[in-house]
């Protein structure tokens, strides 16, 4: 079994194309991880997720500890077998979810006590228990337990929160059980304060992890400030380890972050959009509820090989959403995940070909175009009835 490590295959400016080697198989980077919070990517079978080319998915400690429980998942063979995913799984530590509970949680130096959003029962998470739960789930990549402060906040509050997270990172590392092909990531915090981000990077690299994440962004600070923070943070991070930007984002967020040296992403946007009739495409975002799609026999995208595009028309998808049929969200979620995976493959190839800047300019220009004209869109293919 290969040890857990990341190898760089090509660079173009700050952007990197590489390969993440794990106990559950390799993952080409840059990569987007579909979010499978409770052991399922919403509205998709794992066969459908595999068909999009996804190489790694995400699960969540907070949600899985509440139901069905980490002990039950472990007894049933671990999260890979439980959810029918043999590839790598990264598990979020639960820190963000716990911190978002507001009045339902109490923070102290040792950890967090909180009440379940499901039934109000009381629970506690510490760096040690979060790490242990992720071990029971058999996570390929374990995340440190951290505090995620609400922004905006005074610099002194962000500094105190970051330093608490760094102490928790050391405890998470101490609790982590080393296994061949598995890894643990530290999480860089510090808001948008350059000096605090630098302090956080140094603290984590002094501890030593298999990979490093950037947390506390995409929480309302805006893309310009997020990119500015990445510009000063990623150059400080180890060059030979994977870099993961948590909870990001739109296609343009992903592209811009790769240009700044990020390798891994996750976000609920493509699945959430699929459930609300929004389709991501090479020509921007379409709302399939709009009346203009009611008689449109064209596919969502002429470049997509997902089931929604190869077997169905925009008109049919429009009908499904208008009729509140569950197949609509299922097909559109499939399409959106397929688009995100295709986008990452195109970005990776551009890095390998060393023409990322030109590729990025073309992508942004096409996103701004907002849909294909009748002349640009090929005639629809109507598949035969089986």
């Amino acid at each position: 079994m290969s040890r857990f490590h990341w190898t760089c295959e090509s660079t173009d400016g700050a952007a990197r194309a590489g390969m993440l080697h794990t106990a559950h198989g390799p993952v080409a980077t840059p990569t987007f991880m579909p979010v499978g919070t409770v052991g399922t990517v919403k509205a998709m079978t794992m066969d459908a997720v595999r068909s999009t080319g996804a190489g790694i998915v995400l699960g969540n400690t907070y949600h899985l500890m509440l139901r069905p429980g980490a002990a039950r998942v472990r007894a049933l063979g671990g999260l890979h077998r439980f959810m029918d995913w043999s590839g790598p799984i990264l598990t979020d530590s639960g820190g963000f979810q716990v911190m978002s509970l507001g009045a339902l949680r109490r923070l102290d130096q040792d950890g967090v006590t909180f009440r379940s959003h499901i039934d109000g029962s009381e629970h506690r998470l510490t760096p040690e228990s979060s790490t242990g739960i992720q071990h029971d789930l058999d996570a390929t990549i374990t995340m440190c337990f951290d505090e995620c402060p609400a922004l905006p906040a005074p610099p002194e509050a962000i500094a105190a929160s970051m330093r608490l997270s760094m102490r928790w990172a050391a405890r998470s590392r101490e609790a982590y059980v080393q296994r061949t092909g598995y890894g643990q990531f530290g999480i860089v915090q510090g808001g948008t304060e350059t000096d605090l981000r630098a302090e956080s990077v140094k603290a984590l690299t002094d501890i030593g992890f298999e990979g490093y994440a950037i947390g506390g962004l995409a929480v309302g600070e805006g893309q310009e400030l997020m990119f500015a923070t990445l510009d000063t943070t990623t150059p400080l991070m180890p060059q030979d380890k994977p870099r993961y930007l948590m909870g990001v984002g739109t296609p343009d967020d992903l592209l811009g972050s790769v240009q700044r040296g990020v390798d891994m992403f996750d976000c609920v946007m493509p699945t959430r959009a699929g459930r609300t009739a929004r389709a991501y495409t090479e020509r921007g975002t379409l709302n399939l509820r709009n009346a203009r799609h009611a008689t449109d026999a064209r596919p969502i995208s002429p470049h997509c090989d997902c089931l929604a595009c190869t077997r169905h028309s925009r008109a049919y998808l429009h009908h499904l959403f208008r009729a509140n049929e569950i197949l609509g969200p299922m097909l559109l979620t499939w399409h959106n995940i397929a688009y995100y995976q295709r986008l990452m493959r195109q970005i990776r190839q551009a890095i390998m070909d060393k023409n990322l800047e030109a590729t990025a300019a073309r992508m942004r220009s096409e996103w701004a175009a907002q849909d294909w004209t009748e002349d640009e869109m090929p005639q629809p293919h109507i598949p035969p009835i089986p």
Side-chain angles (χ1 to χ4, degrees):
M1 183 184 295
S2 172
R3 66 184 178 88
F4 187 101
H5 65 289
W6 178 85
T7 55
C8 184
E9 298 182 347
S10 183
T11 61
D12 189 357
R16 300 125 55 95
M19 191 67 68
L20 182 63
H21 303 270
T22 82
H24 297 102
V27 181
T29 63
T31 189
F32 179 83
M33 298 179 283
V35 174
T37 302
V38 296
T40 175
V41 178
K42 288 185 184 297
M44 295 188 76
T45 66
M46 298 316 292
D47 279 341
V49 175
R50 279 185 281 270
S51 77
T52 68
I56 178 172
V57 300
L58 179 143
N60 183 268
T61 297
Y62 167 83
H63 289 280
L64 289 167
M65 70 175 280
L66 293 181
R67 60 181 179 195
R72 181 175 300 175
V73 173
R74 180 174 184 171
L76 291 168
L79 190 55
H80 296 86
R81 178 170 292 182
F82 191 59
M83 67 184 291
D84 182 32
W85 181 262
S86 61
I89 298 174
L90 180 149
T91 47
D92 194 357
S93 69
F96 178 83
Q97 287 71 29
V98 169
M99 299 309 159
S100 68
L101 292 173
L104 293 176
R105 55 91 173 175
R106 298 191 309 276
L107 171 70
D108 56 55
Q109 292 295 308
D110 183 62
V112 184
T113 302
F114 63 94
R115 291 197 175 277
S116 165
H117 71 285
I118 300 170
D119 59 10
S121 58
E122 188 170 273
H123 301 268
R124 184 164 176 80
L125 271 176
T126 66
E128 292 79 10
S129 65
S130 171
T131 303
I133 290 167
Q134 293 176 80
H135 180 87
D136 285 347
L137 295 173
D138 194 31
T140 315
I141 299 176
T142 295
M143 299 302 298
C144 285
F145 189 62
D146 64 338
E147 188 198 6
C148 307
L151 297 178
E156 57 271 21
I158 296 174
S161 173
M162 180 273 290
R163 289 165 187 151
L164 176 61
S165 288
M166 296 307 98
R167 294 193 292 274
W168 285 1
R171 289 168 54 190
S172 295
R173 190 59 171 172
E174 183 69 23
Y176 177 70
V177 178
Q178 294 280 355
R179 290 153 291 163
T180 302
Y182 290 74
Q184 184 183 40
F185 284 20
I187 304 175
V188 179
Q189 290 288 356
T192 57
E193 306 296 324
T194 301
D195 57 335
L196 296 181
R197 288 282 175 179
E199 181 182 334
S200 182
V201 170
K202 184 179 187 306
L204 293 173
T205 52
D206 285 348
I207 297 170
F209 291 92
E210 285 75 31
Y212 297 86
I214 303 165
L217 292 179
V219 290
E221 75 281 355
Q223 188 190 73
E224 183 177 355
L225 191 50
M226 180 181 76
F227 283 168
T229 304
L230 293 177
D231 283 331
T232 58
T233 302
T234 55
L236 304 176
M237 300 172 73
Q239 295 293 312
D240 61 342
K241 300 292 177 67
R243 302 167 182 160
Y244 163 33
L245 179 56
M246 306 179 75
V248 175
T250 68
D252 191 44
D253 288 339
L254 269 59
L255 176 58
S257 299
V258 170
Q259 290 180 294
R260 290 162 172 81
V262 178
D263 309 302
M264 301 172 65
F265 304 89
D266 81 282
C267 192
V268 298
M269 280 187 177
T271 49
R272 182 173 292 166
R275 299 194 300 276
T276 56
R278 289 176 293 134
Y280 287 101
T281 80
E282 292 82 358
R283 294 295 177 91
T285 306
L286 305 178
N287 185 344
L288 271 298
R289 285 190 179 274
N290 287 351
R292 69 188 180 96
H293 299 299
T295 59
D296 194 337
R298 301 178 300 171
I300 300 169
S301 167
H303 305 296
C304 187
D305 61 359
C306 78
L307 190 65
C309 290
T310 58
R311 304 292 297 183
H312 301 294
S313 65
R314 296 183 184 192
Y316 181 62
L317 290 160
H318 170 84
H319 159 69
L320 292 176
F321 279 97
R322 287 291 189 178
N324 293 320
E325 285 291 339
I326 196 169
L327 183 58
M330 292 173 65
L331 288 171
L332 207 51
T333 299
W334 190 335
H335 166 81
N336 284 341
I337 293 296
Y339 171 70
Y340 267 60
Q341 297 303 327
R342 187 165 66 255
L343 173 66
M344 300 312 290
R345 290 193 295 270
Q346 290 168 343
I347 293 173
R348 173 182 165 82
Q349 189 60 53
I351 298 170
M352 300 292 287
D353 295 340
K354 297 192 181 298
N355 67 352
L356 180 59
E357 185 175 352
T359 299
R362 174 182 56 78
M363 285 179 170
R364 292 187 173 112
S365 174
E366 291 179 347
W367 287 329
Q370 290 294 308
D371 208 353
W372 292 265
T373 66
E374 291 290 341
D375 291 339
E376 291 175 316
M377 179 73 85
Q379 289 297 310
H381 168 67
I382 308 299
I385 298 174

